[in-house]
Amino acid sequence: MPKITLPDGSAREYENPVTVMDVAESIGPGLAKAALAGRVDGELVDSSCLISTDADLAIITERDTDGLEIIRHSCAHLMAQAVQRLFPKAQVTIGPVVENGFFYDFAFSRAFTPEDLQAIEKVMGDIVKENLTVERSVMSRDEAVEMFKEKGEDYKVQIIESIPGDEDLSFYRQGEFIDLCRGPHVPATSSFKAFKLTSVAGAYWRGDASNEMLQRIHGTAWGSKKDLKLFLQRLEEAEKRDHRKLGKHLDLFHFQEEAPGMAFWHPKGWSIYQTVQRYMREVQDKNDYKEINTPQLVDYSLWEKSGHASKFSDEMFSVESENRMYAIKPMNCPCHIQVFNQGLKSYRDLPLRLAEFGSCHRYEPSGSMHGLMRVRSFVQDDGHIFCTEQQIQAEVADFMTLLFAVYKDFGFDEVILRLSTRPEKRVGSDEVWDKSEQSLKDALNATGLPWELVPGEGAFYGPKIECSLKDCMGRVQQCGTIQVDFSTPGRLGAQYVAEDGSRQEPVMLHRAVLGSFERFIGILIEHYAGAMPAWLAPEQAVILNITDKQSNYCRNFEESLKNKGFRVSADLRNEKIGFKIREHTLQRIPYLLVVGDKEVEKGTVAVRKRGGEDLGAMTFDEFCTLLNQDVASFGRGA
RNA sequence: GCUCGCAUAGCUCAGGCGGUAGAGCACUUCAUUGGUAAUGAAGAGGUCCUCGGUUCAACUCCGAGUGUGAGCACCA
């Protein structure tokens, strides 16, 4: 006689053991129809799960995050079934849920085409109409291996054989299709209301580049057609914001074949770049960093000493000259240590914070490049803090504060923190790694913010905190980092004289707030959809005359604004005002200043914001005040 | 780097079952001096990514290369 307690606190008693679906039905037919699964005493189960003892139960529907995940996971099965109906020789592998959807990897003799995708989607629709019941079953490992061997599913056999332990495995069957799965799943194939296959691409078996390539089909699935539509609209919006597209439309930068992965910055793009750099320089100055600059070419031997050559030689550009091998610097740290090493340092000099807008070149694999986001030539807002072990925590904490403030100025309020710990390939003793990881953990805890542990993802010389920001599309972008390094200073002979007169090796903290200017500007472009806040906008205002009569007045106004340090221009072309407004609005210029006879007479300009808002007539001083305020607010609250 | 796709005017893109190409915007010129998202007309603009192959003939078909897109792998 199970007593079922529902989330609202109400309880129901049943005479016999009941399934989740039974409970849903007893509550109402609407709920029964919507029920996808249940959460019994906190654990997700199928709707067919039998409850025989008193329990807390929540019925999961598409409205729950869990419900959506179940739909997506089940949709992966649905797709696999459709694929195998169309292509019986395609072998199934894995099909997990991802953000907004799912994918399934197939081993097949050829690549799937967009037409295949359409056909698959159609068969998926057929299976939904067939309303096949999804049934869970349990099998021993041997039985399962036997079954999949018979079906010729070599990959499934491998998967089952690699699952540790020897408990029985659960399987889900719908019609002729059966797949190994932990579940839970939807009760029947009629549960799908809105899905779409979005793309097909190669993916390595088990994520290992030395393995064969499978065919990965991505799909998206939602609880309702409306949600699917909203999602597709969001994709469209993201496409419109693509920094590569906007970079061209707004004339910010370009790429060309002769310099793959290296941006040609145009005047407007470079203006943004310079503004960001000036800002960072100011922030660094205020925070007691000393800016330096180090060579682009450095003898290869330095990279061998630092340990980079042995790990990254394939990705370093090198230059031979006068029988010497140089590397074009792929990073700045070894050079910063050279600066530290000049002159004997005392503990009194620590912490010593060196900063450089360091131009770096890396031969990134061709397939990894992506607009400004991943390039072969970039400039880091790099910095290295030389300090003692005792100073690490305070330095990391200060850095985090600085980073939060900078992100806020750029209009990013949400920061996501992750700690990456020792990778397999690394230098330094475990003891040193213990120490480094602990100091970062302490610093993270001190921020009071949540953080995530990512084991094995640290740099080869030390663990790191990665700081990601969330842009206005909800996308997470990794930008800042701070890394503890107990190894490299020693390798490159950095020392300081301690209080007791002994020679000690300093700890080095590698840190960057923006990461690279290129990538960060790419993120900014997409975040603002090209409509940069006034402080960053390459052109802050443009003055538009209505007829030639006002040209001189416009030129004078422009000149006066320029003298105040604003980035403005005048558009005195013989064009209609509507045309000029349209053009400069499309160029996302924050303020359009219209001048006709009325304005000349009164000594004003008519101010229009790029969004279309009319701010009315303003005098020169009034407009300067407005623009100054706008610029001073940075991107906060934008 | 891997799988698959793509590469045509400055930009966005059409096009042709193999016979050297077209639109809109931009550009130039002329007319127009017009008050808040496109004034009208005319003109100019292309080695159809590169190199090979097939063919009487290749921008089109085939192969390779380069770049690029999606995804995978990589990311000091």
Side-chain angles (χ1 to χ4, degrees):
Chain A
M1 273 236 266
K3 182 175 147 200
I4 306 293
T5 310
L6 297 165
D8 65 357
S10 68
R12 285 163 177 264
E13 292 208 29
Y14 297 88
E15 298 206 356
N16 297 304
V18 284
T19 65
V20 173
M21 191 54 91
D22 291 336
V23 177
E25 273 165 1
S26 75
I27 296 172
L31 184 60
K33 212 173 154 201
L36 296 172
R39 182 179 285 283
V40 176
D41 291 334
E43 201 170 319
L44 275 181
V45 297
D46 293 306
S47 59
S48 60
C49 177
L50 201 62
I51 310 169
S52 45
T53 56
D54 291 358
D56 288 334
L57 169 69
I59 310 275
I60 305 287
T61 69
E62 75 206 20
R63 285 162 193 267
D64 300 279
T65 327
D66 289 328
L68 210 46
E69 286 225 347
I70 290 167
I71 286 176
R72 287 171 183 161
H73 196 176
S74 297
C75 205
H77 282 213
L78 175 71
M79 177 172 77
Q81 182 175 18
V83 167
Q84 290 202 314
R85 277 194 187 175
L86 282 167
F87 311 102
K89 287 194 174 147
Q91 291 192 50
V92 289
T93 65
I94 54 159
V97 172
V98 293
E99 203 184 353
N100 300 321
F102 59 91
F103 67 76
Y104 209 112
D105 286 351
F106 302 93
F108 193 47
S109 51
R110 64 169 177 85
F112 293 117
T113 64
E115 291 75 46
D116 291 336
L117 249 56
Q118 279 182 15
I120 294 164
E121 215 172 276
K122 194 168 167 295
V123 174
M124 287 167 74
D126 295 342
I127 300 171
V128 170
K129 285 197 197 108
E130 287 167 27
N131 190 14
L132 304 173
T133 307
V134 179
E135 286 171 295
R136 183 176 191 273
S137 61
V138 170
M139 254 184 265
S140 74
R141 178 175 308 248
D142 292 344
E143 279 177 293
V145 166
E146 192 57 34
M147 179 184 76
F148 280 114
K149 265 190 185 156
E150 239 167 67
K151 285 177 177 277
E153 297 281 8
D154 309 333
Y155 291 87
K156 277 290 168 197
V157 171
Q158 274 193 58
I159 291 169
I160 294 168
E161 283 175 341
S162 65
I163 296 174
D166 51 16
E167 314 107 70
D168 289 346
L169 303 168
S170 64
F171 290 81
Y172 283 82
R173 177 185 287 282
Q174 53 200 55
E176 78 285 0
F177 180 80
I178 184 160
D179 200 356
L180 164 75
C181 197
R182 186 169 292 156
H185 277 285
V186 297
T189 58
S190 58
S191 307
F192 302 106
K193 300 212 179 67
F195 56 82
K196 186 174 167 58
L197 302 187
T198 48
S199 70
V200 56
Y204 297 109
W205 166 234
R206 298 204 144 149
D208 185 339
S210 57
N211 286 341
E212 64 273 33
M213 194 155 260
L214 307 172
Q215 296 298 319
R216 174 169 299 178
I217 303 180
H218 277 272
T220 185
W222 298 84
S224 68
K225 289 220 159 58
K226 194 176 138 221
D227 287 349
L228 174 64
K229 204 174 148 200
L230 284 174
F231 170 70
L232 294 175
Q233 277 171 356
R234 242 192 313 141
L235 281 189
E236 257 173 58
E237 175 63 22
E239 211 170 301
K240 273 190 226 151
R241 287 167 177 262
D242 190 314
H243 75 282
R244 294 166 298 188
K245 206 175 254 189
L246 286 171
K248 214 178 263 179
H249 283 147
L250 303 180
D251 195 17
L252 304 177
F253 58 85
H254 84 272
F255 288 92
Q256 66 185 51
E257 272 194 67
E258 288 80 355
M262 306 185 225
F264 290 75
W265 287 98
H266 298 191
K268 288 181 192 167
W270 192 241
S271 166
I272 298 173
Y273 199 119
Q274 288 297 299
T275 305
V276 173
Q277 202 171 76
R278 268 197 306 275
Y279 167 84
M280 285 311 295
R281 181 167 279 138
E282 205 171 295
V283 166
Q284 284 167 188
D285 284 349
K286 275 186 194 152
N287 286 275
D288 203 22
Y289 284 81
K290 307 290 175 210
E291 187 173 328
I292 60 172
N293 194 270
T294 61
Q296 295 302 311
L297 301 186
V298 180
D299 195 281
Y300 212 78
S301 59
L302 184 67
W303 309 103
E304 279 163 355
K305 268 189 228 159
S306 71
H308 292 97
S310 65
K311 192 156 189 270
F312 295 109
S313 61
D314 287 350
E315 283 110 79
M316 280 160 62
F317 286 102
S318 52
V319 178
E320 200 187 332
S321 176
E322 294 181 337
N323 294 325
R324 281 182 79 168
M325 276 295 282
Y326 296 87
I328 304 182
K329 78 173 164 183
M331 51 162 11
N332 308 299
C333 354
C335 294
H336 284 203
I337 296 178
Q338 306 314 305
V339 174
F340 179 89
N341 287 354
Q342 294 296 307
L344 194 56
K345 295 290 183 296
S346 149
Y347 72 95
R348 294 175 196 273
D349 296 318
L350 307 184
L352 179 65
R353 306 182 192 90
L354 298 180
E356 176 175 9
F357 297 128
S359 171
C360 297
H361 291 78
R362 297 178 185 173
Y363 190 81
E364 300 286 0
S366 56
S368 70
M369 289 185 298
H370 181 91
L372 291 174
M373 301 300 194
R374 182 97 178 257
V375 283
R376 286 186 175 155
S377 171
F378 56 95
V379 176
Q380 296 176 319
D381 63 316
D382 207 358
H384 293 91
I385 302 170
F386 296 87
C387 64
T388 65
E389 251 176 72
Q390 291 69 38
Q391 291 166 334
I392 295 175
Q393 208 174 312
E395 286 301 313
V396 175
D398 284 353
F399 170 78
M400 301 300 292
T401 309
L402 182 158
L403 177 135
F404 293 142
V406 168
Y407 285 8
K408 236 193 167 89
D409 281 344
F410 281 106
F412 302 109
D413 292 326
E414 203 174 328
V415 184
I416 294 146
L417 301 171
R418 307 199 311 167
L419 173 63
S420 300
T421 54
R422 66 195 78 183
E424 270 180 44
K425 275 192 196 167
R426 59 177 184 262
V427 297
S429 69
D430 283 354
E431 201 187 354
V432 163
W433 276 89
D434 288 341
K435 220 159 34 175
S436 313
E437 288 172 4
Q438 192 54 49
S439 49
L440 286 185
K441 274 181 203 166
D442 293 343
L444 278 171
N445 290 333
T447 66
L449 290 169
W451 53 273
E452 189 195 338
L453 182 70
V454 196
E457 294 290 309
F460 71 92
Y461 49 69
K464 60 182 176 188
I465 294 175
E466 282 176 1
C467 310
S468 303
L469 49 85
K470 216 178 215 181
D471 72 12
C472 70
M473 299 287 292
R475 294 170 300 192
V476 175
Q477 312 271 10
Q478 204 229 300
C479 295
T481 182
I482 184 159
Q483 317 181 351
V484 181
D485 185 350
F486 280 91
S487 302
T488 318
R491 284 171 158 257
L492 296 177
Q495 287 188 333
Y496 67 92
V497 180
E499 259 175 302
D500 60 2
S502 67
R503 301 279 175 122
Q504 301 287 337
E505 281 173 14
V507 178
M508 178 161 72
L509 304 177
H510 307 247
R511 42 110 288 159
V513 178
L514 307 181
S516 88
F517 284 95
E518 284 73 10
R519 183 178 151 72
F520 197 79
I521 291 169
I523 292 168
L524 285 175
I525 292 169
E526 299 197 353
H527 180 62
Y528 289 118
M532 301 313 232
W535 77 286
L536 286 170
E539 274 190 272
Q540 297 168 318
V542 58
I543 303 155
L544 314 173
N545 61 343
I546 286 172
T547 72
D548 287 345
K549 276 188 277 175
Q550 303 93 30
S551 294
N552 279 333
Y553 179 87
C554 288
R555 271 192 278 265
N556 290 337
F557 207 93
E558 177 197 9
E559 204 50 41
S560 309
L561 283 171
K562 280 187 172 160
N563 287 337
K564 289 273 185 185
F566 295 120
R567 298 183 290 274
V568 297
S569 65
D571 180 355
L572 307 177
R573 288 176 304 168
N574 173 13
E575 296 289 353
K576 288 193 166 182
I577 191 67
F579 178 81
K580 293 190 199 178
I581 299 251
R582 176 180 158 80
E583 269 205 341
H584 295 106
T585 301
L586 290 174
Q587 285 295 308
R588 324 278 211 270
I589 295 175
Y591 295 99
L592 306 185
L593 312 181
V594 177
V595 177
D597 287 340
K598 274 188 286 183
E599 285 75 21
V600 173
E601 200 180 306
K602 290 186 186 148
T604 59
V605 290
V607 182
R608 178 190 162 114
K609 288 174 88 168
R610 69 184 144 206
E613 194 187 343
D614 183 2
L615 300 185
M618 287 188 199
T619 62
F620 176 78
D621 288 342
E622 282 169 339
F623 180 67
C624 284
T625 307
L626 171 73
L627 190 47
N628 267 323
Q629 278 171 356
D630 196 354
V631 167
S633 72
F634 295 104
R636 290 176 186 244

